[in-house]
Amino acid sequence: MNQTRDSIADVWGQRTPFYNEAWPIRVDQHLIAEPDHWVKSACVLCSNGCGLEIGVKDGHIVGVRGQAEDRVNHGRLGPKGLHSWVANNSKDRLRMPLIRKNGTLAEVTWDEAMDLIVSKSKKIIAEQTALGIGFYTSGQLFLEEYYTLGVIGKAGIGTPHMDGNTRLCTATAAAALKESFGTDGQPGSYTDLDIADTILHCGHNIASQQTVLWSRILDRLAGASPPKIIVIDPRKTFTAEKATVHLSPRVGTNIPVINGLLNLVIQSGNVDHHFINQHTVGYDELVKVVSKWTPEKVEQVSGVPAIKLKEAGRLLAETKNLVSTVLQGFYQSMQATAAAVQVNNLHLIRGMIGRDGCGIYQMNGQPTAQNTRECGADGDMPAFRNWSNKKHIEELAELWNVEVDKIPHWAPPTHAMQIWRYAEQGSIKMLWISGTNPAVSMPDLARIRKILDKEDLFVIVQDAFMTETGSHADVILPAAIWGEKTGCFTNVDRTVHISHKAVDPPGEARPDLDIFMDYARRMDFRDKDGAPLLKWNDAGGAFEAWKQCSKGRPCDYSGMSYEKLSRGSGIQWPCNEQFPDGARHLYTDGQFNTAAGFCETYGHDLDTGAAITEEQYKAHNPDGKAFIKPSDFMPPHELPDDEYPFMLTTGRVVYHFHTRTKTGRSKELNDAAPDAFVQISAFDADQLGIAEGDMIEVESRRGKVTEPARIGDIEPGLLFIPFHYGSWDDPGRSRAANELTITEWDPVSKQPHFKYSAVKIQKAGGSFLTKIGDVVKDVATAINLKL
Ligand code: SF4
């Protein structure tokens, strides 16, 4: 084996200190044999999108190496990037389509599988219109696949029921950007980290999730002028260990903390009144709402000591520039969009946006989540168009040459939680699941399994492996994955990479794009002149069509080509005549995408989710100014009580991605993190007589799991279970964290609340602690304070 470093033992690798210069190159590599050639690609194991090359020998992938000239990683790769390619070569790949016959999944030809899907589709459409069909896709397909699927759903079938598992991880990122700036699109650039004085991580354990990005920060910390780091996270994570100030709020109290910080910054007088007056609306209302969040009141509700909050507030008020990142600790918790928007507000009131050193990253969880949002496969309209703006829908109708009314736009595209509800109620009769595993990743899994098993629901699963979800399917379509197909994807700082096909897929597995195009052909989808609806036959054709769709919109790809993307580094959008090499920042002139005719949404009430109408919006047309939208605190809907006295939160570990479909098949990654666990404070473990490794039963109102105990680095009253682990490699034990989580979601982004569930625990075979402890009681009382 040839590897440049042991990324399992040393996740982030050797330091290359720097400040205010190009991040030094360090090429990481992992090979099991010497390649006969290299193929250009990027990593699809998180939203960082590190540039890499795939090593190929005798038609098989034998390893990867980081791409030195790529702007995202400068050659580095993390443990997931270096090891999870082995999943491609796994012996248990799906190779043939399967159809359930007499209760058993049996191998069939592609013709048989597709004919069944087409006949079911036509029957359902004939009997109950296109509304009987729903799609639940992924954050791991390629741009060309999402765009093709979006066109099929919107202009072929005409169903509004299309969303992705990105609803679970990145919906709040999109919602927060739209609410503040008018459209989706990350304003900053990773190069901001190279000079930032202060970095704020909100509910984001970046050290575990985007390990290479964290390496960039570690290198800044090791160099001249190291930045100050502020971390908001209830757990003492790897990220929190490096914090200048770690704020550890009670679960569900992000809003008091971020409002408290805004209040301190405003009180300091260090706000940019010129920027606020010229480029924003809503500042006075923000001042009114946050002014009551004194450090003492924040401490009372969130448990964050006033002294620590003041220190963080001082850093934010005095810094010359600022990078902020936000992720699931905000997105999957109470008041998700409201809390994420407050981070945008912090940048707006300090005028720290659209220039070097000032980036906001409303982070994405999954590698290609950005593309689902751009292409309209996730509950959005393509190229950040507004479903309720008639002109935007007319543009799409013209582009696709279909009647305007073919495109569903009488209501917002259906979000994932509602798609599952419709399937539960029986109005959706066919659910096509591609590249994701909801039987492990959705909340309240007992309910999800029940829906998947409904007699009147026809379930198609398109995946590379037999997953927990696949075992409930009526039809399984074997999919080619990264390395076996060509396509593009976009990371969190708008960098677009091309990933070329390196090897053939196993057996008869096909790229998702080919499967969708085959379906469109067999369904005979046509435009209004009788020509085939899809005007492309391959990934390159789909990319060209997408360029046309995106031209003139914020995510403008019209200046890109496969050839240009294949040359060196990935390229940031917008890339067009004005920015032929891409643009580092959005909003450099203080002009935001909020003009009524251009914006992606007219916005929402952050507390109720009530939509603002076109008329209301136009009456206050911000016309290029950003929105400063405040929000006040609302307690979580489920709190600990005598019966369920602990609060559970869920999340990820550094060595795994999503439901371990790929990372679980790497020996190195799996050996590093072989099993789920329940993290419990030393205080609670001591009270309950729990030792490290004891098997613990954790039960909520929805279900029960049994996990080994891991003690420490968490607040009393709080438990943590990683959500990656299902049953495919351990069918003997219930261990999926989502057996316990709650079916609830944010009113604006519709992202589920994975971060809080009331639970009870006991040592396996013992009896449950049902009397609420003093610490937990204090927490519940404090959170529920009438304010
Ligand atoms: S940081 Fe993300 S994109 Fe980069 S190598 Fe690791 S998993 Fe892959």
Side-chain angles (χ1 to χ4, degrees), residues 444-496:
D444 193 357
L445 291 179
R447 171 176 174 255
I448 295 302
R449 286 190 292 269
K450 221 162 135 186
I451 296 171
L452 289 168
D453 285 339
K454 282 186 76 204
E455 279 294 313
D456 64 347
L457 182 69
F458 183 69
V459 177
I460 304 160
V461 170
Q462 184 169 312
D463 210 307
F465 296 95
M466 177 55 81
T467 61
E468 289 85 345
T469 306
S471 64
H472 298 267
D474 295 293
V475 179
I476 294 186
L477 303 175
I481 50 178
W482 168 94
E484 299 161 359
K485 58 184 184 180
T486 294
C488 296
F489 49 93
T490 307
N491 83 341
V492 87
D493 87 334
R494 295 174 280 107
T495 301
V496 183

Side-chain angles (χ1 to χ4, degrees), residues 18 21 71 74 188-196 213 216 220 323 356-358 361 493 572 584-585:
F18 80 119
E21 57 180 319
R71 64 177 303 279
H74 296 227
S189 167
Y190 280 169
T191 49
D192 296 330
L193 289 166
D194 304 348
I195 58 168
L213 199 57
R216 198 166 185 147
R220 280 292 319 281
V323 170
D356 286 332
C358 296
Y361 304 100
D493 87 334
Q572 286 175 290
R584 220 162 44 201
H585 292 95

Side-chain angles (χ1 to χ4, degrees), residues 43 45-50 77-78 80-81 209-213:
C43 177
L45 272 299
C46 87
S47 60
N48 207 45
C50 296
L77 295 173
K80 293 189 283 279
Q209 315 324 339
Q210 284 86 12
T211 59
V212 170
L213 199 57

Side-chain angles (χ1 to χ4, degrees), residues 638-659:
E638 186 171 76
L639 286 166
D641 56 22
D642 276 341
E643 195 182 352
Y644 296 95
F646 283 83
M647 196 66 130
L648 171 76
T649 192
T650 67
R652 292 183 274 187
V653 298
V654 66
Y655 298 108
H656 286 300
F657 174 71
H658 203 51
T659 61

Side-chain angles (χ1 to χ4, degrees), residues 47-90:
S47 60
N48 207 45
C50 296
L52 60 74
E53 290 172 297
I54 303 172
V56 180
K57 182 182 170 60
D58 299 333
H60 293 285
I61 298 177
V62 292
V64 291
R65 70 177 176 202
Q67 190 152 20
E69 66 269 38
D70 197 88
R71 64 177 303 279
V72 170
N73 54 322
H74 296 227
R76 288 163 191 75
L77 295 173
K80 293 189 283 279
L82 285 167
H83 289 285
S84 38
W85 57 268
V86 299
N88 283 64
N89 300 337
S90 192

Side-chain angles (χ1 to χ4, degrees), residues 396-454:
L396 291 174
E398 197 182 327
L399 188 70
W400 299 334
N401 195 29
V402 296
E403 301 294 345
V404 172
D405 288 341
K406 180 73 187 181
I407 303 170
H409 64 285
W410 58 89
T414 316
H415 63 86
M417 301 305 286
Q418 192 62 41
I419 288 175
W420 285 92
R421 180 70 182 135
Y422 287 153
E424 185 173 43
Q425 290 172 319
S427 68
I428 286 183
K429 298 277 188 234
M430 175 174 134
L431 188 56
W432 191 327
I433 300 165
S434 49
T436 188
N437 190 11
V440 179
S441 57
M442 285 285 287
D444 193 357
L445 291 179
R447 171 176 174 255
I448 295 302
R449 286 190 292 269
K450 221 162 135 186
I451 296 171
L452 289 168
D453 285 339
K454 282 186 76 204

